[in-house]
Amino acid sequence: MSDIIKKDLHHSEIYLNLLEGNKQFVKDTLEIDSEYFTNLAKGQEPPILWIGCADSRVPANQITNTKPGEIFVHRNIANVVVHSDMNMLSVLDYAINILHVKHVIVTGHYGCGGILAAMSNRQFGLIDNWLSHIKDVYRLHAKELDQIADEVERSNRLVEYNVIEGVYNLCKTSIVQNAWLNGQLLGVHGWVYSLNTGKITDLKVSTYNSANMEDIFKFDSTDLKLSI
Ligand code: CO
């Protein structure tokens, strides 16, 4: 067999393995609970919205020991939360106003490639524009971050600040604030996952109202009768 054919077989094997894996998943799951899929298909009522990194090593369900149906998930490179991201806003709006989630959790992870790239001066292409949001976070904390000589330690701190900024940016949205104004019990939290230990650290920035928010970001109750 030529090397090219071997390479080709391996290439399709990676893809076909997933379909085989799915067959096994269905078989194993039905052995435990024959009604599993019929029950899950009835609808979802997840109490959690997870905003995490797209990194393949940080899957929301596995690392929290939860099952399909328990966490509504949005992931992007470096779990960036910015006000103008229609994708994130749509997920947030649906999660809060339709699914009525009780908690939104931004989960970053140490050793995040997006954070490391944002800390460098290298160009990576289109993604540089996305990572600029992380550079903005760096700028906000540059005084502290510049003083951390160890690069790993410095990137770890930036990972944490990026999560904290994400939590804050979520709280600034009209979606979260209207939930609070309407008396919905909603917590916004910041976590960091360690690839080295598998453990999650709660950054203790949980927010349940807009009390500590800077005034400029606070919204009054909805009044759509704008005088233009
Ligand atoms: Co990452």
Side-chain angles (χ1 to χ4, degrees):
M1 205 182 287
S2 81
D3 276 358
I4 291 175
I5 295 176
K6 264 192 213 156
K7 216 174 164 188
D8 222 47
L9 276 175
H10 178 63
H11 187 256
S12 42
E13 214 174 281
I14 294 170
Y15 159 81
L16 291 170
N17 275 346
L18 298 188
L19 295 173
E20 283 308 312
N22 172 254
K23 279 182 198 155
Q24 193 64 45
F25 163 69
V26 172
K27 188 172 166 277
D28 293 348
T29 307
L30 290 176
E31 264 171 29
I32 296 166
D33 178 3
S34 61
E35 301 294 306
Y36 181 83
F37 295 107
T38 27
N39 283 333
L40 204 59
K42 285 174 189 161
Q44 61 167 338
E45 214 179 326
I48 307 283
L49 166 61
W50 173 282
I51 298 178
C53 182
D55 193 302
S56 60
R57 298 163 296 177
V58 196
N61 282 128
Q62 279 98 325
I63 66 170
T64 56
N65 214 16
T66 50
K67 294 184 178 69
E70 293 184 48
I71 303 183
F72 200 60
V73 175
H74 173 79
R75 291 167 73 176
N76 63 46
I77 290 176
N79 46 272
V80 168
V81 178
V82 282
H83 313 109
S84 54
D85 178 359
M86 282 305 293
N87 188 347
M88 182 280 291
L89 290 171
S90 303
V91 170
L92 185 69
D93 188 50
Y94 187 78
I96 291 177
N97 293 317
I98 308 294
L99 298 173
H100 303 292
V101 296
K102 309 274 185 280
H103 301 275
V104 182
I105 307 165
V106 181
T107 306
H109 68 101
Y110 298 124
C112 181
I115 297 285
L116 296 170
M119 269 176 63
S120 82
N121 297 104
R122 282 183 60 195
Q123 284 200 35
F124 295 90
L126 173 76
I127 195 178
D128 295 328
N129 301 288
W130 180 250
L131 298 178
S132 267
H133 294 297
I134 300 168
K135 290 181 188 281
D136 288 339
V137 176
Y138 192 106
R139 191 185 55 154
L140 284 174
H141 304 280
K143 241 187 196 166
E144 180 193 330
L145 291 167
D146 283 344
Q147 278 173 6
I148 305 173
D150 184 76
E151 206 174 314
V152 174
E153 217 178 291
R154 190 160 75 246
S155 71
N156 286 349
R157 195 70 187 119
L158 183 57
V159 164
E160 292 169 0
Y161 275 133
N162 182 49
V163 168
I164 293 167
E165 201 63 22
V167 168
Y168 196 32
N169 282 346
L170 285 173
C171 296
K172 290 177 197 166
T173 63
S174 57
I175 301 164
V176 168
Q177 289 195 45
N178 278 331
W180 287 335
L181 286 167
N182 296 332
Q184 211 167 315
L185 186 59
L186 178 73
V188 187
H189 315 271
W191 291 355
V192 180
Y193 176 72
S194 165
L195 293 172
N196 292 321
T197 65
K199 288 181 182 165
I200 289 171
T201 305
D202 186 343
L203 292 177
K204 306 242 164 50
V205 290
S206 297
T207 310
Y208 298 88
N209 55 58
S210 58
N212 295 323
M213 187 178 287
E214 285 163 79
D215 278 344
I216 189 70
F217 295 117
K218 284 183 188 167
F219 287 119
D220 293 334
S221 296
T222 325
D223 182 5
L224 295 174
K225 285 167 274 166
L226 294 173
S227 48
I228 302 169

